[in-house]
Amino acid sequence: MSRSAHPAGPRHADVLPEGHPSAPPADLNHLDRKVWASTVTRTPDGVVSVGGIEVTRLAEEFGTPAYLVDETDFRERARAWRTAFGPDADVFYAGKAFLSRAVVRWLHDEGLNLDVCSGGELTTALSAGMPADRIAFHGNNKSVDEIETAIRAGVGRIVLDSFQEIVRVAHIAQSLGRRQRVQIRITVGVEAHTHEFIATAHEDQKFGIPLAGGQAAEAVRRALQLDGLELIGIHSHIGSQIFDMSGFEVAAHRVVGLLRDIRDEHGVELPEIDLGGGLGIAYTSGDDPREPHEIAKALNEIVSRECEGAKLRTPRISVEPGRAIVGPTAFTLYEVGTIKLLDGLRTYVSVDGGMSDNIRTALYDAEYSVALVSRTSEAAPMLVRVVGKHCESGDIVVKDAFLPADLAPGDLIAVPATGAYCRSMASNYNHALRPPVVAVREGEARVIVRRETEEDLLRLDVG
Ligand code: LLP
């Protein structure tokens, strides 16, 4: 299929749908640095490139849809977090955002630790050579097998999430002749959302042990009594895609309050606190995320101040960014298949992927940006909805966005900031084949997760 402009491309519908972006950007060919990975640029001939390779070449070699990861950007971001927190703190990359063996090796190289939340993530981490003592194991219902595997491997910490798990992990550790380092995950009564934090209904969730009503203090009491456990700290994670630090401030205040109560009751000063992940990234030009050094400075100050007030030694801090490291480093490359102009209603641009490679729009009403990347265009902006090829009308990739009115089948478009929670939440809905993840760096591209094939689908279908 030709990738050139279609002379008779549709124009946008006359009536703008509700909730549309207020105005088209001044220049549709411009790539906003905020949402694109650091090496993404438009070459003089108008094609977008990443890591020095044009997307048209990448599409030919690897097909579409494909997730393209800018390895240089990933490493830079990982390093920025590491440097910002320094040697007296730990950065655990949250593998749930996206995990593969190559990613584990990049993290290892850059001195980060890893947070895993399933046996599958643990296996991936170990098989790529992440030292077990740099792994934290999370989850609200880890299986006995998972706990046993983690303890045998020697994971650095298990984050305990319930009263049952305190006993379960202690027994398994003891039966293996081990003393497992653990943290207790508590819910501090802050539920952070994108631009706000809401202090109601916060304890009504499946994660953690509530601070309220003395449950967290009771969990600490029990953990301290069990020989199989070495309680090293308290863990709190308040939410995701957060821009406002005030939620972390309240969380740190309450976690330190618990450390003080533990010292007063047991004469023990726990040496660590983990403030979780959740730092926001830019999905559209309207988002303004903070830099890692600002976040580190803010968190360090909050914790030191709170500890000073409580007359506690400042504990070692750890954080667990997932999205903030991998999210901005990748984009999804799609080929336009059809363009449907519904007069007076909306223009639908269908691509060769959809909710199976990015469920976030359907699931969270997430906002994304999109750009024509196989060429430039001087055509007028056209308001469109980018949709996938699945048998579901909610199969939306980008709800409302402007693309040039001469957009045509065969054009390549890309959705930036899809590094986090897209491949990791991808599905086989409609027996879609999950796209590959291709890492690009300094003029070289290599597949780090290959595209699924129909043989892969049939391999599991053993009926
Ligand atoms: N630590 C813990 C204990 C977590 O539960 C999470 C995310 C993180 C760290 C990393 O959060 P991040 O820095 O990546 O925001 N699927 C959703 C996000 C779910 C996050 C679950 N926990 C999404 O696509 O927005």
Side-chain angles (χ1 to χ4, degrees):
M1 198 177 276
S2 141
R3 293 218 164 93
S4 62
H6 195 291
R11 285 165 311 133
H12 83 76
D14 293 336
V15 181
L16 297 178
E18 267 183 49
H20 63 86
S22 50
D27 176 7
L28 281 180
N29 298 315
H30 173 70
L31 300 172
D32 185 350
R33 296 266 43 99
K34 255 201 238 179
V35 296
W36 292 93
S38 65
T39 73
V40 171
T41 179
R42 225 179 249 283
T43 60
D45 60 5
V47 180
V48 167
S49 73
V50 55
I53 310 185
E54 299 191 337
V55 292
T56 39
R57 237 182 80 198
L58 292 164
E60 256 154 46
E61 190 170 347
F62 303 104
T64 54
Y67 303 101
L68 300 174
V69 185
D70 182 343
E71 181 181 340
T72 305
D73 193 25
F74 185 102
R75 287 177 179 272
E76 280 168 3
R77 283 175 200 275
R79 208 172 304 146
W81 277 85
R82 188 57 284 208
T83 311
F85 279 86
D88 298 327
D90 297 301
V91 181
F92 286 77
Y93 168 80
K96 66 206 82 184
F98 172 66
L99 197 66
S100 78
R101 291 199 274 195
V103 162
V104 173
R105 287 190 285 267
W106 302 343
L107 294 166
H108 185 260
D109 289 351
E110 303 300 339
L112 274 74
N113 296 355
L114 181 62
D115 140 14
V116 300
C117 66
S118 70
E121 288 185 359
L122 178 61
T123 301
T124 304
L126 292 172
S127 78
M130 180 59 86
D133 63 355
R134 281 170 53 187
I135 298 175
F137 192 27
H138 273 277
N140 65 304
N141 187 18
K142 308 167 191 76
S143 72
V144 167
D145 274 357
E146 286 174 324
I147 295 168
E148 217 177 283
T149 308
I151 297 176
R152 276 187 202 281
V155 296
R157 64 169 78 146
I158 295 181
V159 182
L160 302 173
D161 197 276
S162 65
F163 282 99
Q164 288 86 356
E165 200 171 72
I166 292 172
V167 176
R168 204 171 282 156
V169 170
H171 282 167
I172 297 172
Q174 220 172 0
S175 71
L176 294 171
R178 303 282 182 90
R179 187 147 187 262
Q180 177 61 47
R181 288 159 59 86
V182 295
Q183 290 189 340
I184 293 177
R185 177 164 175 180
I186 65 166
T187 42
V188 292
V190 176
E191 191 185 339
H193 291 285
T194 304
H195 295 291
E196 73 203 77
F197 68 92
I198 296 171
T200 54
H202 39 264
E203 255 93 32
D204 186 5
Q205 58 154 310
K206 70 172 185 163
F207 294 109
I209 299 178
L211 191 60
Q215 288 206 49
E218 179 56 23
V220 168
R221 236 166 259 140
R222 294 194 196 173
L224 286 173
Q225 281 165 7
L226 293 164
D227 289 339
L229 306 181
E230 179 189 348
L231 181 61
I232 57 164
I234 300 296
H235 182 286
S236 151
H237 170 77
I238 56 171
S240 234
Q241 185 60 2
I242 304 165
F243 292 96
D244 183 350
M245 296 303 284
S246 52
F248 287 99
E249 194 155 338
V250 179
H253 173 72
R254 297 190 183 163
V255 169
V256 172
L258 179 62
L259 292 188
R260 182 200 53 222
D261 294 349
I262 295 168
R263 186 230 15 232
D264 293 348
E265 183 179 340
H266 305 280
V268 178
E269 286 197 30
L270 297 183
E272 296 187 15
I273 65 173
D274 189 311
L275 293 172
L279 285 313
I281 63 164
Y283 285 103
T284 69
S285 299
D287 294 327
D288 284 305
R290 294 191 176 212
E291 294 295 322
H293 68 267
E294 293 175 89
I295 295 161
K297 186 163 177 281
L299 291 183
N300 281 325
E301 277 174 11
I302 296 166
V303 173
S304 311
R305 195 179 57 228
E306 292 295 331
C307 288
E308 218 169 285
K311 298 198 167 48
L312 284 166
R313 273 191 299 278
T314 304
R316 190 175 176 86
I317 299 176
S318 50
V319 286
E320 299 171 338
R323 186 193 321 263
I325 293 179
V326 70
T329 70
F331 60 87
T332 314
L333 187 63
Y334 299 104
E335 184 176 304
V336 174
T338 66
I339 300 171
K340 199 173 280 179
L341 187 70
L342 302 185
D343 255 334
L345 286 174
R346 201 185 291 281
T347 298
Y348 284 93
V349 172
S350 293
V351 295
D352 47 358
M355 65 194 298
S356 56
D357 58 70
N358 186 351
I359 190 67
R360 297 192 69 259
T361 308
L363 199 55
Y364 313 119
D365 216 14
E367 289 193 4
Y368 282 94
S369 333
V370 61
L372 171 61
V373 290
S374 48
R375 61 182 174 91
T376 51
S377 166
E378 299 312 318
M382 158 174 79
L383 183 64
V384 302
R385 174 160 287 181
V386 180
V387 295
K389 58 181 289 175
H390 294 281
C391 294
E392 183 141 336
S393 45
D395 172 24
I396 299 168
V397 180
V398 186
K399 246 187 320 177
D400 297 300
F402 287 97
L403 283 169
D406 64 353
L407 190 77
D411 277 331
L412 296 178
I413 62 175
V415 175
T418 57
Y421 304 109
C422 286
R423 180 57 180 80
S424 67
M425 293 172 79
S427 76
N428 287 121
Y429 184 41
N430 299 145
H431 282 201
L433 304 170
R434 285 178 295 179
V437 183
V438 179
V440 190
R441 185 190 187 190
E442 292 171 3
E444 277 181 33
R446 73 188 170 103
V447 175
I448 60 171
V449 179
R450 73 161 167 78
R451 185 184 300 284
E452 264 177 341
T453 61
E454 287 181 350
E455 291 77 64
D456 290 326
L457 288 181
L458 295 177
R459 199 160 37 90
L460 299 179
D461 185 336
V462 295

